[in-house]
Amino acid sequence: MNKKTIIRTLEKIALYMELQGENPFKVSAFRKAAAALEGDERSLSEMEDVTKLKGIGKGTAAVIEDLMATGESSYLKELEEAVPSGLLPLLKLPGLGGKKIAKLHQELGIDSAESLKAACEAQQVRELAGFAAKTEEKILKELENLANRSERLAIWQLEPVVLQIEALLGSMKEVVRFSVAGSFRRAMETSKDIDFIVVTEAPATVREQLLQELAVQEVVAAGDTKISVILDLDEPVSVDFRLVKDAEYATALHHFTGSKDHNVRMRQIAKARGEKISEYGVEQADGTVLTFEDEAQFFAHFDLPFIPPSLRTGKNEFDKAADIADLVTLTDIKADLHMHTTWSDGAYSVAEMGQALMARGYQYGVITDHSQFLKVANGLTPERLVKQRAEIEAFNQANPTFRLYAGTEMDILPDGSLDFEDAVLKELDFVIASIHSSFTQSQDKIMARLLTAMQNPYVHMIAHPTGRIIAEREGYHPDMPQLIAWAKEYGKILELNANPYRLDLCVEHLEMAMAAGVPIAINTDAHDSAHLRFMDIGVRYANRAWLKKDMIVNTWTYEQFEAFIRRHK
DNA sequence: GCCGTTTTCGGCCCGACTGTTTTCAGTCG
């Protein structure tokens, strides 16, 4: 019996109890027990007594023991017999929670979306106490939506929308300051919607402008403090705007950045001190409300360091607060080691990319166009590589305060060989090896290809090591513990590709790499100078894995980096 | 169901909103 199964079982029990209209605190006790197991890094066999964990008591421990002894939970079985599984999807309907669904089941025998639809159409639902015609109509409408509603949207779908809205808010003179919040700010791979905190003294004007300027498909709510719209883009995107006063900015931003679990923990901390946190401020025992200039001051009030948004999981950020100082921030980044130019499939020249790197305040960077195998990307032959190097050197001559290196993103070919001979690689400053083809090969073959690259003395880094695209493509499933072991053995860098399409390595793999002491490079894989902005996403994503900054290659100084790339020469 | 340096009973994060009621329960983020 593994830990994940136990966690899932406890969560499933909570779900079924919810559908019985069970006491919400009892339901949340099972969720807390699951979270307690998840938050503990030890395996089950390493814990002698689970009830020692905060959040696990007699009841939940009994379920765990049952699972360990028999492989299943008799309690869950009872619940499954009592509650039709067809009710589970109904929890996804906005406006319906456990209590109402329990009532529909008990009073009308509803056991599925189909029977709920029939009952609404027969106008039986409006007869129940607590329900009426409006609720019935809403349920019918949401049942329609349930079928064709798109799930969470990927970060690469949301990022351009966020950028566009930021430009709009930045152009509005009534807007004092603003920030994106929610799960996007926490660098989650997918989000249900986008949240913005907007400071203004003229909410009505801002509201009208937003509704006018945005591609609004549907206005869900448009009050003085909250505007909620669905935008008509490639996919419909829900966006919430919270309009607040300047003094409320920090606490509102914190509140709407979440996560929910993080907020719960913060409020418990406040409560223990006789204070009360809300989005409007921190209420003192005497009733006065404190507000803060920014989130850092808000955290400082509770004797906490600034907790970066992507760490706000409610799981371990309070226990590991002392480690936050070791984490990377955008200002630590001194370079970008993976980018393309017009020599292959990029949109800007070598000089333009170099200028863009300098404009970001970096010390160095590497041009890494594709190699000859990638014909669709106009990959470079050895001859063109030589010509490109001359152009890079010319840039360096003209810009002595910055250093642009000549590199390549070389394909690892389907047959396991590398796209350039050692004689070619030897002449390059920095060599990235990556897989862009034959993703469906067996894991053995994929690993054999990666091993060739690992063993080549001129290769410095493996880019986007799994080949995944978020919510689109799983990639080629390398044996990650093995790959990380090789990286350690052969002294290679593994990439955190910061392009929001990829975020590869993922959080879990980054944690494994860091535990093994393998250096990571956060790179944008820019095909356009504007893509250099993805570094921000990469840094926030790296925080989620608690990557220490001295393990991150592109926080190194020019001298440190130089020493690393020259070590075999 | 879980928890306790105000505690073994009484509270468990907080506030807005909606739709139902006519003062509030349920849902949501």
Side-chain angles (χ1 to χ4, degrees):
Chain A
M1 177 61 48
N2 69 50
K3 206 167 134 185
K4 278 211 168 116
T5 309
I6 292 179
I7 291 166
R8 272 204 303 272
T9 304
L10 288 168
E11 282 167 350
K12 210 165 173 188
I13 288 173
L15 218 50
Y16 274 100
M17 290 197 311
E18 209 178 335
L19 287 171
Q20 286 195 312
E22 200 32 289
N23 171 3
F25 296 112
K26 190 171 164 182
V27 177
S28 106
F30 277 84
R31 298 217 162 98
K32 275 182 191 161
L37 277 182
E38 203 171 19
D40 195 291
E41 280 162 21
R42 292 171 300 171
S43 73
L44 271 176
S45 51
E46 289 167 326
M47 303 180 207
E48 30 191 284
D49 184 5
V50 283
T51 56
K52 290 231 170 77
L53 280 181
K54 202 165 140 49
I56 297 182
K58 254 169 64 185
T60 46
V63 171
I64 296 171
E65 278 154 23
D66 196 12
L67 275 166
M68 306 261 275
T70 70
E72 47 190 23
S73 161
S74 50
Y75 186 36
L76 177 60
K77 268 189 155 175
E78 274 174 41
L79 286 166
E80 281 172 337
E81 277 164 30
V83 183
S85 60
L87 292 180
L88 284 168
L90 301 186
L91 278 171
K92 284 199 178 139
L93 292 173
L96 280 193
K99 293 247 168 75
K100 282 197 167 150
I101 293 173
K103 183 149 196 160
L104 287 165
H105 175 54
Q106 283 156 16
E107 310 256 333
L108 297 176
I110 306 286
D111 59 2
S112 65
E114 290 74 31
S115 57
L116 177 58
K117 185 160 185 258
C120 286
E121 282 167 350
Q123 307 206 333
Q124 293 172 317
V125 171
R126 63 178 66 190
E127 300 303 326
L128 298 179
F131 294 76
K134 242 179 174 170
T135 309
E136 196 177 75
E137 286 157 18
K138 184 162 185 228
I139 291 173
L140 269 178
K141 193 180 143 211
E142 295 296 350
L143 277 170
E144 294 284 316
N145 289 346
L146 191 63
N148 51 18
R149 187 205 316 268
S150 58
E151 292 289 310
R152 300 169 70 89
L153 293 170
I155 184 171
W156 53 267
Q157 294 174 295
L158 298 175
E159 198 267 350
V161 182
V162 169
L163 201 67
Q164 185 197 335
I165 295 173
E166 284 176 341
L168 174 61
L169 289 169
S171 74
M172 290 165 60
K173 66 177 192 300
E174 292 84 2
V175 171
V176 179
R177 53 175 166 163
F178 63 89
S179 173
V180 71
S183 52
F184 182 87
R185 184 166 181 243
R186 303 200 313 275
M188 299 301 281
E189 289 166 19
T190 60
S191 303
K192 203 159 62 64
D193 61 6
I194 305 174
D195 294 292
F196 274 95
I197 302 300
V198 179
V199 171
T200 180
E201 293 295 324
T205 315
V206 169
R207 177 184 62 209
E208 293 317 311
Q209 286 190 58
L210 285 172
L211 293 179
Q212 196 175 352
E213 299 293 328
L214 294 168
V216 175
Q217 180 181 82
E218 183 185 334
V219 179
V220 181
D224 272 349
T225 62
K226 180 182 163 181
I227 300 162
S228 194
V229 294
I230 297 173
L231 297 185
D232 183 18
L233 302 167
D234 295 345
E235 303 255 10
V237 182
S238 299
V239 187
D240 284 354
F241 297 90
R242 313 282 170 152
L243 309 183
V244 300
K245 297 192 175 67
D246 194 54
E248 298 160 352
Y249 176 75
T251 40
L253 179 59
H254 176 263
H255 175 83
F256 289 108
T257 296
S259 67
K260 197 176 163 188
D261 290 341
H262 169 84
N263 288 354
V264 168
R265 288 290 305 272
M266 284 300 296
R267 285 163 182 203
Q268 286 168 342
I269 290 169
K271 192 158 183 161
R273 296 160 40 125
E275 297 176 296
K276 196 164 81 175
I277 298 174
S278 80
E279 54 262 55
Y280 300 109
V282 176
E283 189 179 322
Q284 304 297 286
D286 64 7
T288 58
V289 175
L290 294 180
T291 59
F292 306 90
E293 178 59 25
D294 53 33
E295 284 186 328
Q297 282 188 19
F298 167 79
F299 282 115
H301 175 75
F302 294 102
D303 303 315
L304 290 165
F306 175 78
I307 300 175
S310 27
L311 297 182
R312 299 180 197 168
T313 60
K315 292 188 165 62
N316 53 6
E317 69 272 29
F318 298 99
D319 310 326
K320 293 170 74 174
D323 298 342
I324 290 175
D326 298 332
L327 304 185
V328 63
T329 64
L330 196 53
T331 52
D332 296 317
I333 298 294
K334 299 184 174 68
D336 201 325
L337 311 181
H338 183 172
M339 73 197 72
H340 300 268
T341 72
T342 46
W343 282 86
S344 65
D345 58 350
Y348 288 85
S349 70
V350 165
E352 284 167 330
M353 293 306 285
Q355 292 293 348
L357 290 169
M358 291 177 71
R360 292 183 66 86
Y362 292 164
Q363 292 183 6
Y364 57 101
V366 192
I367 300 294
T368 55
D369 275 306
H370 289 292
S371 60
Q372 52 199 355
F373 174 79
L374 267 197
K375 301 222 165 28
V376 287
N378 191 24
L380 273 65
T381 60
E383 294 71 33
R384 290 181 67 218
L385 262 180
V386 172
K387 289 182 187 163
Q388 188 191 39
R389 176 180 269 285
E391 194 173 313
I392 291 170
E393 284 311 326
F395 179 86
N396 284 328
Q397 290 291 321
N399 298 281
T401 61
F402 185 85
R403 175 74 195 186
L404 204 53
Y405 290 99
T408 180
E409 181 183 12
M410 172 184 62
D411 265 76
I412 305 170
L413 307 185
D415 68 1
S417 63
L418 303 177
D419 203 13
F420 288 133
E421 302 286 333
D422 284 1
V424 175
L425 297 180
K426 201 164 87 179
E427 299 303 318
L428 292 164
D429 298 319
F430 191 71
V431 175
I432 299 174
S434 55
I435 289 180
H436 293 112
S437 57
S438 301
F439 281 32
T440 54
Q441 285 177 345
S442 69
Q443 190 182 59
D444 286 350
K445 275 195 168 166
I446 292 287
M447 292 306 284
R449 288 166 81 184
L450 289 165
L451 182 58
T452 314
M454 285 285 182
Q455 290 179 328
N456 184 293
Y458 303 108
V459 169
H460 295 96
M461 182 182 93
I462 306 293
H464 43 74
T466 76
R468 75 152 174 178
I469 289 178
I470 290 171
E472 291 267 302
R473 176 175 88 189
E474 287 190 6
Y476 37 78
H477 300 292
D479 175 349
M480 195 51 67
Q482 177 62 262
L483 189 66
I484 287 169
W486 287 340
K488 182 70 185 166
E489 180 180 352
Y490 296 110
K492 307 300 186 196
I493 302 166
L494 292 180
E495 185 177 58
L496 162 51
N497 191 294
N499 190 303
Y501 273 101
R502 295 186 179 271
L503 296 176
D504 182 7
L505 298 173
C506 68
V507 169
E508 187 190 350
H509 292 156
L510 289 171
E511 287 170 344
M512 289 163 57
M514 191 179 67
V518 170
I520 300 291
I522 307 175
N523 298 320
T524 63
D525 199 352
H527 285 66
D528 182 315
S529 58
H531 292 169
L532 295 176
R533 71 174 187 272
F534 298 153
M535 188 58 75
D536 174 52
I537 295 175
V539 165
R540 289 187 288 128
Y541 194 78
N543 282 342
R544 286 183 54 195
W546 292 79
L547 284 192
K548 290 193 185 339
K549 82 180 126 195
D550 56 10
M551 296 295 297
I552 296 172
V553 175
N554 45 325
T555 67
W556 296 352
T557 62
Y558 158 79
E559 290 80 7
Q560 285 173 294
F561 181 70
E562 184 87 11
F564 179 87
I565 62 176
R566 305 283 176 223
R567 73 207 155 132
H568 295 306
K569 301 193 177 177

